[in-house]
Amino acid sequence: MPTFAASDGTELAYHERGEGAPLVVLPGGPMRASAYLGDLGGLGERRRLALLDLRGTGDSAEPADPATYRCDRLVDDVEALRAHMGLDHMDLLGHSAGGSLAMLYAARYPERVARLVLVTAIPWALGGPATAEDRLAAARLRTGEPWFEEAFPAFEAWAAGTADFAPASAPFFYGRWDAAAQEHDARADEEFNDSAADVYGSQGAYDPPATLAALARLTAPVLVLAGELDGGPRPGLARWTADAFLNAACAIQPGAGHYPWLDDPEWFVHRICAFLDEARDGVSGALPSAEQPPGATALRLA
């Protein structure tokens, strides 16, 4: 397990899986250890994954200053990893809340980003939250599932902000609530740093107008991938995110939830690799019409 020192001296760890050209991966949660990503459904067979444990998670040390858990402050850690790996520029993938970190990094260091992949990323950094309406509309797509009647009331209360997240709501985040999904969810409690998650998106973390302006000038190809059944983001919000970039495509994975590499690994790996390979010569193709996200307070647990 390789380690390196952040600019403030905090010892950070990352995990390498697979072989080939490197792909730096930023986990979500926010502030969940990178172990939950596995090898991204077999993507490690095609690329050398460098999965960063954000400070205070997984095998990375806790910082002396908890304020450095804030998303914009973590950009420095991503840059330190790039320098440690000796990459002049890098392919970068951010999942879920890690998508906002990836966007902030691309806005600050555009010359260091070769290709950018955003997987089921709520665009908090752009001012686009997943609303309760988004989440409930996606949840109602699952009415035929055997667990729906028991799970929906708890999920509805959480989405409305009247109750904490309950374990019964977990199936809504997966395209298939099978043994693999249940095992993946069972590890969540031990992989999260809840106190750090409270800081991640705290006041000052995001400046959407400045980030939107910077990313509108980013020349690197971008892929925004969403799950058809995911409520955060729903496909419309993913398309709106893609429209914020100069050179972006949006892909909606059929039947997928928030962890699409678990729902259909073959589809996921093929789409990511097709983008990374094709993007070497530039990305073309029309995007679906942009949709403005509703202006409401973002919910946690992206």
Side-chain angles (χ1 to χ4, degrees), residues 66-75 196 199-205:
T68 60
Y69 289 134
R70 206 173 70 180
C71 187
D72 60 320
R73 304 281 295 275
L74 295 173
V75 170
V199 179
Y200 188 87
S202 58
Q203 185 174 5

Side-chain angles (χ1 to χ4, degrees), residues 3 29 36 43 56 95 111 127 189 220 238-239 247 268:
T3 62
Y36 82 94
L43 187 56
H95 172 247
E111 74 283 1
D189 284 346
R239 295 183 184 111
N247 187 10
F268 177 83

Side-chain angles (χ1 to χ4, degrees), residues 62-87:
E62 296 184 357
D65 181 6
T68 60
Y69 289 134
R70 206 173 70 180
C71 187
D72 60 320
R73 304 281 295 275
L74 295 173
V75 170
D76 291 336
D77 293 350
V78 181
E79 174 61 3
L81 173 59
R82 180 204 61 78
H84 167 79
M85 294 180 67
L87 302 174

